[in-house]
Structures are given as C-alpha cells and as structure tokens.
Amino acid sequence: RTCFQYESGTYAFTSGNRQWIGLVQSHDLEPNMNVIPIRYQGSTDRNVDDFANGQQEWAGTITYLPQDWKFLGFAIGSIQDLTGSHIFTETNTDDRIQTTNTPLTTFTIEDSKNLGNAGSNFIRTTIGGMVNSFRLNSALGEIVNCEVGYTAQSSTLSSGAIVSLAATTTSPYMFNNIQLHIPSGTLLSNAKELNFNLNNNLEPGFYLNGSRMASELLPLNRDYEVTSTTNMEEPIARTLYESYYVAGSTFNSMIMCWGVAGSLTLIMSGCKMTEMTIPSSLEGVQEQSFTFVPKIIYGTAYDTITKYNGL
C-alpha cells in the first residue's frame, strides 16, 4: 500500500492522517547512499581497502490513476481552496507555501508491505517529499494515468502495525473525459494521445552542517511540455503546421479532464510549437504529432474535497 500524509510547520514534519494518492499502480523508492570506495598507498593488495558513507539521496516514482488533482497542485505551487474548487497558481523559489514554509508543498510517503501482524511488516516512511516531475498521460481507449517523480529528505523503516485506511471507491478518469483545446476554447476533436509534462528540476540542498541528509529542496527553472498525436483534418492540420509551427505564432491552449467525481481545467498561455512530425504513410489514416511549450499555467480543480492544502 502506498499513501501520503501532509506536512506542516517546518520542512519534513509529518502532520495529519494518511490519505490515498489515487489508484496507485506502482511505487519505486530509489535511495542512493553514495558509498565511496577508498584505496590508498601502502595497501597490501589490489582490492578496495575501505568505504566511506556519502550523502543520502532519496527519490521515488509513483504511477497512479487519478481520482483528484492534489499532486498536480503540489507540482504547480500555490493552492487556493474555495467552496467546491481549488485554484493552482505557479510559485517561484522565493515564494513560501503557508503550511510548510517551502516553495512547493511537501509531503510524506508511506509504502507498506503487510504480512498481517505487527513485527513482520515492512513499512518505509519517506519524509520531506516534493514533486520533482509530474506527467499526465491519456491515450485512446485507456484510463488516464499520472506519474509523479519526487525528491525527499530521508526515510525510515519499521515493522509495526499498519494504520487502517478506508478503501477508495471514486471512479478514475477515462480517455473520453479528457480534451485538448488549441487555441483555448477550440476543441481538437481528432486527438488520439495527449501527454502533459511538468519538471521542477529540484536541487537538494546538502551542506557542511554535520548531516548526510538534504536540509532543503530548491526548485530551479520550471519546464513545461505538451505532446499530442492527431488524425489530420482540414483545416486544423494546416493551422497547426503553417501558423503555429512554421510561422511560429504563439497561442493559448487548454486541457480539460471532466469526470463523474470532479474535473480539471488547465489553462496554458503563451504556447509555442517546438516540434512537429507529419509522416506520409502508404496506408492508414495520416497522422500529425507535435510538441508545444507553454509559458504560464493556471489550473482549477472542481470536486467535493474540502481542502487540497492539508489539515
């Protein structure tokens, strides 16, 4: 089982109850102890003579079927909770989230393998997590899925009792719940695949302070990227190629993901088309694949959850 907890007060201080991330498909925690082999003159053989412990690096990847958009909000920055909605706005490195006093929301990830009795379980609790990368994937005929890459401060292992958490029954989002608009308000009705990528390029802050762990996480330049594949259709195929790619006109765009339990509207402005491929195949429907980069993103999630900002 993989779940998360909010943090509050100071960095890497866990607070609140365990919550579902979504319908988690996989979680890969990849620690790096940076073991340093030592050799020195005067050794009696050709082997490594000793080892030193370097800095501890903690990072993980979670793949899940989204039921809400909390982690997208964590990735973008500031979340404003309103009645029935949550507004996501970008934050910079010198901004501070009120609950954790950090540029982006931090969280704790609990990964547990349950053998049914305390003392035999395998529970890893990773604190001080921050979203390094967020990927939203949608393809024809499939369930919408998300991939979160996070960086954290440290992790502990325990074998105690598993804290109960009620099952989650909210339906995930399907391919027919998602739309891409180019320009904003004009549906790209023949899209067959859509991927949205955000990268915060986190840099762990390791210092000469007597600790092997990162003291803070610093978001560097933020990168956005949207890719899609469509069937070619007149006249939108010419507009995408001639106006937006060749001529280089900027445009606004929008991703909408509206499901039974809630919805997401992601508004992207100042978009620039950076790549496009239009292969001429012998048979089948002619396709057009492209990549564009937004300058600014603003999002709104609508659902019955009271708060995305923690407890």
Side-chain angles (χ1 to χ4, degrees), residues 196-213:
F196 167 80
N197 297 280
L198 183 160
N199 195 329
N200 282 311
N201 292 298
L202 296 180
E203 180 174 297
F206 291 99
Y207 307 114
L208 302 178
N209 57 7
S211 174
R212 296 174 60 201
M213 301 182 301

Side-chain angles (χ1 to χ4, degrees), residues 118-181:
S120 299
N121 300 318
F122 192 93
I123 307 170
R124 290 178 294 176
T125 303
T126 305
I127 64 172
M130 189 180 287
V131 176
N132 186 36
S133 62
F134 182 93
R135 182 177 176 89
L136 170 66
N137 305 299
S138 178
L140 187 64
E142 297 181 4
I143 303 174
V144 175
N145 70 86
C146 295
E147 181 181 287
V148 169
Y150 68 90
T151 303
Q153 183 191 68
S154 65
S155 185
T156 57
L157 175 67
S158 65
S159 59
I162 305 292
V163 177
S164 62
L165 184 58
T168 175
T169 58
T170 305
S171 298
Y173 295 86
M174 296 298 297
F175 68 95
N176 56 312
N177 297 134
I178 198 164
Q179 296 180 353
L180 174 62
H181 291 239

